[in-house]
Amino acid sequence: LYVTWGSALLVTTKGARGRGFVREIINALPDTRITIYDDVRPEPQLVDLEKATESLGKDRYDGILALGGGSSIDTAKVLSYNLSANDGSLRDHFERGGPLASSGLLPVIAIPTTAGTGAEVTPFATVWDGQGGKKYSLALPNLHPQVALLDPELTMGAPRDISLTTGLDALSQGLESMWSRSATPLTRDVAAQSVKLSLWCL
């Protein structure tokens, strides 16, 4: 891992931290001041992201490292927007609509520890509002992680239920892509390969 950032925000989970991954990243980046946010939970909640933005916004970061599964990467994407120079509330956007500025987002490096969501290569982030019983999607053209580091060994220490559910997630996404009304011969072929690989791994 090599970055030239002077300051970075590391977004992860307590589980990934407990498995020693966070320490490895810190050791790999001795010249980067790293702030750790490890309060990521499954299905990131809008209220938690607002609190995280308020507490983390006191510092300035050159970029964000996202270590974990889809929830960690989605959280990093939302914080990339919230901690940038963009004005406006995501809650207002989700509830009332309207455009969002997409310039000046903090760069994100995604380091997935699961193999199912594909969040490291998409411009989307799923946000949940448990209080309102709603699920939102943040979609911006510049929300792709700038770099995705894929290391299969990082998935080896995941709990069995996490490995199973993320594998089923990959399978379901492949099936959904095959059935999509927007599918093309090319996307169906790629989706079929995804389904075969998912079934083989499961």
Side-chain angles (χ1 to χ4, degrees):
L1 179 59
Y2 174 76
V3 300
T4 57
W5 299 339
S7 176
L9 174 63
L10 174 56
V11 176
T12 189
T13 64
K14 288 182 171 56
R17 190 171 188 172
R19 294 197 293 276
F21 298 154
V22 170
R23 176 53 53 189
E24 290 183 24
I25 289 177
I26 292 174
N27 291 340
L29 300 173
D31 298 324
T32 302
R33 181 175 61 86
I34 297 178
T35 300
I36 300 170
Y37 176 76
D38 64 358
D39 260 346
V40 174
R41 296 179 177 86
E43 300 179 351
Q45 296 292 318
L46 183 56
V47 64
D48 292 335
L49 293 168
E50 290 171 333
K51 292 177 181 177
T53 300
E54 183 177 352
S55 64
L56 296 168
K58 301 170 185 175
D59 295 321
R60 304 297 296 179
Y61 311 99
D62 296 318
I64 300 177
L65 298 164
L67 172 69
S71 294
S72 292
I73 298 172
D74 282 354
T75 295
K77 291 177 182 178
V78 171
L79 291 176
S80 167
Y81 177 85
N82 284 355
L83 297 175
S84 69
N86 294 308
D87 295 324
S89 163
L90 280 182
R91 184 179 291 275
D92 289 341
H93 167 71
F94 290 143
E95 294 179 352
R96 299 181 179 86
L100 288 172
S102 61
S103 61
L105 301 184
L106 290 176
V108 173
I109 294 177
I111 310 171
T113 59
T114 64
T117 69
E120 68 273 11
V121 292
T122 72
F124 312 110
T126 301
V127 180
W128 300 77
D129 180 7
Q131 298 173 342
K134 295 181 179 179
K135 174 183 175 182
Y136 299 109
S137 180
L138 175 63
L140 291 170
N142 295 335
L143 209 59
H144 288 93
Q146 288 195 347
V147 176
L149 299 178
L150 306 180
D151 183 350
E153 289 191 6
L154 294 179
T155 69
M156 301 303 291
R160 185 177 185 278
D161 60 330
I162 296 296
S163 297
L164 178 60
T165 55
T166 55
L168 291 173
D169 188 11
L171 175 61
S172 66
Q173 292 191 54
L175 293 171
E176 289 171 358
S177 297
M178 294 176 68
W179 299 331
S180 170
R181 293 181 179 179
S182 302
T184 66
L186 176 60
T187 62
R188 285 197 180 96
D189 181 59
V190 173
Q193 294 180 51
S194 171
V195 169
K196 290 178 181 178
L197 285 171
S198 299
L199 290 173
W200 180 78
C201 292
L202 290 172

